[in-house]
Amino acid sequence: MKPGISKFVWFDGKYTTLEKAKVPITTHAIHYGTSIFEGIRAYWNSENLNIFRLEDHIKRFRNSGRFYSISLGYTDEELIDAVINLCKKNNIKKSCYIRPFYFVGEYGINLHVNENAPVHAAMFMFPFGDLFNKNGISAGISSWRKFSDASTPPLAKMGGNYLNSILATQECKRNGYDEAIMLDLKGNVSEAPGENIFTVKDGKLMTPPLSSSALEGLTRDSVIKLAEDFGYQVKESEITRGQMYLADEVFLTGTAAEITPITHIDNKKIGTGKTGKITQQLMSAYLDVVMNKNEKYSSWVTSVY
Ligand SMILES: Cc1ncc(COP(=O)(O)O)c(C=O)c1O
């Protein structure tokens, strides 16, 4: 077994082991990036394993393929059951990350991907803790711009799209930062390689709109709702690089990153250079929601056991 990855996986409708789930070298997705994926977290709260926003992840999972006429041969119910049953089969009683994906299989060198292309679907999982240091990280603005709808749709969570993220990440690590921030083609703030971004200024939150080439993140949506519950104004608005430097607080949101404070950008302090009060408040509220400790949002949580 690969270190960390749970023994059982789901592949084309069946449960099998990681060792047995193999694909041929002629798989189209390996050559052309024709794969679609989701990242889902499940949280162990010492009583149950709670999968966060499972139905919404499955909805985005299906929609991502629609841009490319790549169809999932399973209903939402089948996929939801598969995620739940995979957790049960692996008898996971720890917080973990679940990775469902589907991809074009053997289709030669044919770029005319259509409904006739063979599609395979799979999922695996592994125990997972923090992605980033929750006390705050540094970020650098990448010279690689976020791709836009003018070339490939940023709303599709496609394997091939992440080459852009990889270039930005390589650059930021080379320059000694923890994470990259990408600007859109107009030069406004877009997002991080695998996270959305928020700024806080004078008690008001802003996050780039989808027209700034940001992915429609589910954590972003959750944070907007939680911030509004606290009475904060949240605006989806273009954010200039300058506005971001002068924000009181900046934080990232994502399934893997959850809410991660950014305390420095391009070696400049953001606000006090420490996690801001509103960021802290949202981090704690988010943790309550994912741990199924906030009744208002219990419909966002699917308990496994
Ligand atoms: C490019 C990109 N932006 C934003 C996000 C955050 O989305 P979510 O909160 O749904 O995980 C992700 C992660 O899925 C991502 O890959």
Side-chain angles (χ1 to χ4, degrees):
M1 204 193 313
K2 294 274 176 303
I5 301 191
S6 299
K7 180 173 173 191
F8 292 104
V9 303
W10 178 94
F11 191 17
D12 285 340
K14 297 194 179 69
Y15 299 94
T16 181
T17 57
L18 184 63
E19 285 75 18
K20 288 189 183 147
K22 304 269 190 247
V23 297
I25 60 168
T26 44
T27 298
H28 195 270
I30 301 172
H31 300 262
Y32 300 114
T34 42
S35 61
I36 292 123
F37 68 96
E38 274 299 319
I40 306 174
R41 266 196 194 258
Y43 292 85
W44 178 250
N45 67 2
S46 77
E47 282 170 13
N48 213 326
L49 187 65
N50 300 291
I51 306 171
F52 190 55
R53 300 197 68 164
L54 177 55
E55 286 172 26
D56 295 316
H57 277 289
I58 298 298
K59 203 179 287 172
R60 184 173 68 187
F61 192 44
R62 187 178 305 284
N63 281 341
S64 291
R66 289 176 61 192
F67 294 99
Y68 295 88
S69 301
I70 302 174
S71 293
L72 255 171
Y74 301 90
T75 64
D76 287 7
E77 291 68 34
E78 285 170 328
L79 293 165
I80 287 167
D81 281 353
V83 172
I84 296 170
N85 288 329
L86 189 62
C87 294
K88 284 186 182 157
K89 255 192 114 53
N90 281 309
N91 195 27
I92 292 261
K93 294 191 171 162
K94 281 180 187 166
S95 292
C96 56
Y97 185 91
I98 304 159
R99 166 55 56 86
F101 59 107
Y102 57 113
F103 56 94
V104 177
E106 293 189 277
Y107 199 50
I109 59 165
N110 192 353
L111 294 184
H112 186 203
V113 171
N114 57 35
E115 294 294 345
N116 298 323
V119 176
H120 301 277
M123 57 181 85
F124 62 87
M125 59 191 301
F126 50 90
F128 196 40
D130 285 344
L131 177 69
F132 289 122
N133 181 351
K134 288 295 177 51
N135 294 322
I137 60 166
S138 65
I141 294 181
S142 177
S143 66
W144 295 101
R145 293 291 173 93
K146 172 79 197 213
F147 62 87
S148 83
D149 247 326
S151 45
T152 54
L155 288 184
K157 213 166 152 51
M158 295 288 295
N161 282 354
Y162 284 80
L163 294 173
N164 184 223
S165 295
I166 288 169
L167 287 171
T169 304
Q170 288 173 336
E171 182 183 30
C172 95
K173 296 284 184 190
R174 202 161 57 232
N175 292 331
Y177 300 114
D178 297 315
E179 184 57 312
I181 293 172
M182 285 189 282
L183 306 178
D184 67 12
L185 295 187
K186 281 161 70 179
N188 292 316
V189 177
S190 175
E191 61 174 354
E195 302 88 28
N196 292 109
I197 192 161
F198 283 76
T199 61
V200 182
K201 181 79 182 168
D202 299 329
K204 295 186 181 117
L205 281 79
M206 289 214 292
T207 192
L210 303 185
S211 54
S212 292
S213 302
L215 185 79
E216 194 167 18
L218 292 167
T219 321
R220 172 184 184 273
D221 177 69
S222 309
V223 163
I224 290 173
K225 294 194 168 96
L226 291 176
E228 285 172 348
D229 285 351
F230 282 121
Y232 299 122
Q233 190 192 99
V234 186
K235 219 166 122 194
E236 288 184 53
S237 158
E238 286 185 349
I239 302 173
T240 66
R241 181 178 187 151
Q243 280 175 306
M244 184 172 65
Y245 285 141
L246 295 184
D248 301 327
E249 304 178 28
V250 176
F251 61 86
L252 298 178
T253 64
T255 296
E258 301 166 303
I259 301 178
T260 297
I262 294 186
T263 53
H264 295 78
I265 299 177
D266 292 344
N267 290 327
K268 298 179 220 304
K269 266 189 200 172
I270 298 300
T272 59
K274 301 217 166 70
T275 303
K277 278 206 178 69
I278 295 178
T279 307
Q280 196 69 63
Q281 194 180 18
L282 290 167
M283 288 169 80
S284 139
Y286 184 75
L287 195 62
D288 278 350
V289 169
V290 297
M291 289 291 185
N292 204 7
K293 290 180 183 157
N294 181 338
E295 281 222 340
K296 180 172 179 194
Y297 295 107
S298 60
S299 65
W300 281 351
V301 170
T302 305
S303 298
V304 168
Y305 299 107

